[in-house]
Amino acid sequence: MELKDKNLYYVGGVVRDEILGLPSLDIDYCYEGDAIKFAKSRGLNIIKENPDFGTVRVFFEEQEIDIASTRTERYPKPGHLPVVEQIGCPLIDDLKRRDFTVNAMAKNTLSGEIYDYFDSQKDLKSKKLRVLHKNSFIDDPSRIIRGLKFLARFGFELDIETKVLQEEYLENINYDMSYHRIKKELRESFNLNSDKLLQKFINEKIYKLLSPEQAIPEIKGSAEALVNLVKIHNPWIVYAGLFDLSTLELTKDEADIIGAFDNLKTVSFESEWGLYRMFSGCPLESVILWGLVREYDLAYHYLKSLRQIKPSVTGNDLIKLGVERGKLYKEIFDFLAEEKLKNPELTKEEELELIKSKYL
Ligand code: ATP
Ligand code: MG
């Protein structure tokens, strides 16, 4: 059974997805009025409530559901997080604060009626992203990156007036903004298949949002093709890492990737073995970044083949041979790796023979 009430609506992305005939990632409910009072009056099992925002999380039919009160917001400082102005406002005012018309519909949970005040369904049909007012990007520039996300996911394009507003904003960015949301949207936008998005990010100068002085990278090949060769946890950084990310708060892993990438730019190598050594211990994301701006074919070669080449001999084998643990181990493994690169067909027995003849 679903939760139903005459004042309770599905809102935003979930209505959009339903009209598109697609499954939703999450379901957002909004209550026209005070959602916390509603949850209490219905005797719902409340897990968490946040009176400042008028939101409540309940446990219903084995599921956690978030219900927001209708609210209006105000931006005390452009680009910063908004503050709540009124909780329990009319539905239409809640819908007005949203990013694009396609995300500003509500569907009544009881009657199933769709509330479409801004020609959202028309825009949805013609795959247009249209902001609800002309200050939208000034209030919240992360909406520009949300636009990219919906381009990637659904093939939506900016409506012409919205495109002009985006261009105007990108010509005159207020860098005193909340980068937290920018990062969140980048993470969600740049996914596994994002070559097209990267082109747009560059061509439309959206990268300028990140920081004032951005060098524009010259991309040497398909990021997608490199990403598809390996398993990585954070595809977004393979795209965004081509730009200056100093305004974003990075996790340790992300910072390590950027650090190793910066390092790679200064290292040189002379042979395949040199390349192998240069990349060993480097996060794969850093290798991809290096390939995208430096030697694409070499990065491809490393990610596809070279990195798989490893000696068959193990530490245990060395112990059996009577080699004492210590510095010699690393030397032997380096030697074997180099031999193996020269001749990937080398068998374990041949590796052992090589060790015996050189070291024992
Ligand atoms: P997804 O399928 O990725 O969840 P979504 O459109 O549902 O997409 P959410 O981030 O879940 O996006 O946000 C839910 C709704 O909240 C959106 O549909 C939109 O109406 C509104 N919203 C989200 N982010 C913003 C924003 N930055 N500015 C204005 N409205 C927003
Ligand atoms: Mg959603």
Side-chain angles (χ1 to χ4, degrees):
M1 222 187 58
E2 283 169 51
L3 189 56
K4 289 185 179 171
D5 187 89
K6 73 176 187 358
N7 287 334
L8 185 67
Y9 298 85
Y10 301 108
V11 71
V14 54
V15 184
R16 172 201 70 211
D17 292 342
E18 192 187 308
I19 296 176
L20 290 171
L22 299 170
S24 269
L25 299 179
D26 53 16
I27 296 183
D28 293 304
Y29 287 91
C30 122
Y31 183 82
E32 189 174 30
D34 185 330
I36 299 175
K37 272 192 195 148
F38 162 71
K40 286 183 177 156
S41 73
R42 283 283 285 263
L44 295 173
N45 183 356
I46 295 179
I47 302 170
K48 205 163 88 179
E49 56 185 277
N50 184 345
D52 293 342
F53 282 85
T55 55
V56 60
R57 178 169 294 170
V58 301
F59 198 67
F60 182 80
E61 306 275 326
E62 323 258 302
Q63 276 192 49
E64 287 188 11
I65 300 181
D66 287 312
I67 311 173
S69 307
T70 44
R71 66 170 187 265
T72 55
E73 291 176 340
R74 188 167 51 82
Y75 288 82
K77 264 178 142 184
H80 283 242
L81 294 179
V83 293
V84 176
E85 207 171 39
Q86 189 199 348
I87 290 179
C89 67
L91 178 67
I92 185 170
D93 294 331
D94 180 289
L95 297 175
K96 272 184 201 160
R97 71 177 167 83
R98 291 171 185 268
D99 52 353
F100 300 107
T101 58
V102 292
N103 291 337
M105 281 182 280
K107 180 181 171 182
N108 191 280
T109 53
L110 200 62
S111 67
E113 188 183 342
I114 287 178
Y115 288 73
D116 174 1
Y117 297 105
F118 318 107
D119 277 341
S120 303
Q121 293 180 83
K122 192 170 143 247
D123 288 339
L124 203 52
K125 273 214 181 75
S126 51
K127 296 182 169 244
K128 289 286 182 227
L129 294 174
R130 190 155 53 91
V131 287
L132 288 137
H133 58 90
K134 69 176 190 350
N135 279 335
S136 190
F137 294 138
I138 299 169
D139 283 347
D140 180 358
S142 75
R143 290 171 184 160
I144 291 179
I145 303 177
R146 285 179 65 80
L148 271 187
K149 174 166 78 180
F150 298 123
L151 164 77
R153 214 190 289 166
F154 307 118
F156 293 167
E157 296 280 350
L158 298 186
D159 166 75
I160 181 73
E161 283 165 21
T162 297
K163 179 104 194 281
V164 170
L165 290 171
Q166 174 177 298
E167 281 165 7
E168 282 173 6
Y169 184 74
L170 292 173
E171 283 302 312
N172 194 8
I173 299 169
N174 169 19
Y175 286 99
D176 175 22
M177 67 169 97
S178 155
Y179 283 96
H180 183 75
R181 279 188 303 191
I182 297 277
K183 182 179 172 192
K184 171 178 174 283
E185 298 300 344
L186 280 173
R187 285 183 61 105
E188 289 180 21
S189 302
F190 280 120
N191 240 302
L192 294 177
N193 300 306
S194 299
D195 278 352
K196 215 173 97 190
L197 225 64
L198 181 60
Q199 275 316 315
K200 230 179 170 75
F201 197 69
I202 294 174
N203 294 345
E204 295 188 1
K205 302 195 169 65
I206 299 175
Y207 61 84
K208 283 172 64 184
L209 282 177
L210 288 169
S211 68
E213 302 298 332
Q214 286 280 359
I216 308 162
E218 192 197 319
I219 312 290
K220 303 279 168 76
S222 159
E224 275 173 46
L226 295 182
V227 170
N228 286 336
L229 294 173
V230 292
K231 247 206 169 84
I232 52 175
H233 294 300
N234 290 311
W236 81 280
I237 201 141
V238 162
Y239 300 89
L242 296 164
F243 305 88
D244 170 17
L245 298 185
S246 55
T247 49
L248 305 188
E249 236 174 74
L250 298 181
T251 62
K252 174 158 187 319
D253 283 354
E254 291 164 348
D256 286 348
I257 288 166
I258 301 301
F261 172 42
D262 285 342
N263 226 2
L264 283 178
K265 286 190 255 184
T266 65
V267 181
S268 57
F269 60 94
E270 261 145 29
S271 58
E272 213 169 48
W273 165 237
L275 186 74
Y276 183 91
R277 257 203 327 209
M278 177 169 102
F279 287 148
S280 59
C282 244
L284 296 175
E285 289 90 338
S286 317
V287 177
I288 296 177
L289 283 162
W290 181 88
L292 289 176
V293 294
R294 292 288 164 98
E295 306 279 346
Y296 186 86
D297 293 344
L298 289 179
Y300 193 97
H301 177 51
Y302 174 80
L303 293 169
K304 187 169 164 57
S305 333
L306 274 193
R307 80 188 172 93
Q308 328 272 9
I309 299 176
K310 288 195 181 95
S312 313
V313 163
T314 64
N316 267 341
D317 296 321
L318 293 191
I319 292 171
K320 276 191 210 143
L321 283 179
V323 184
E324 283 193 26
R325 268 190 195 284
K327 233 175 95 194
L328 196 55
Y329 265 52
K330 178 163 174 2
E331 196 182 318
I332 293 177
F333 278 118
D334 277 357
F335 164 70
L336 284 181
E338 191 171 359
E339 290 302 314
K340 194 96 181 182
L341 284 184
K342 284 186 210 148
N343 175 16
E345 308 297 318
L346 212 61
T347 64
K348 184 165 174 178
E349 286 64 38
E350 287 165 336
E351 286 178 22
L352 290 168
E353 283 312 312
L354 280 172
I355 298 171
K356 282 183 199 153
S357 62
K358 190 166 158 91
Y359 293 97
L360 303 177

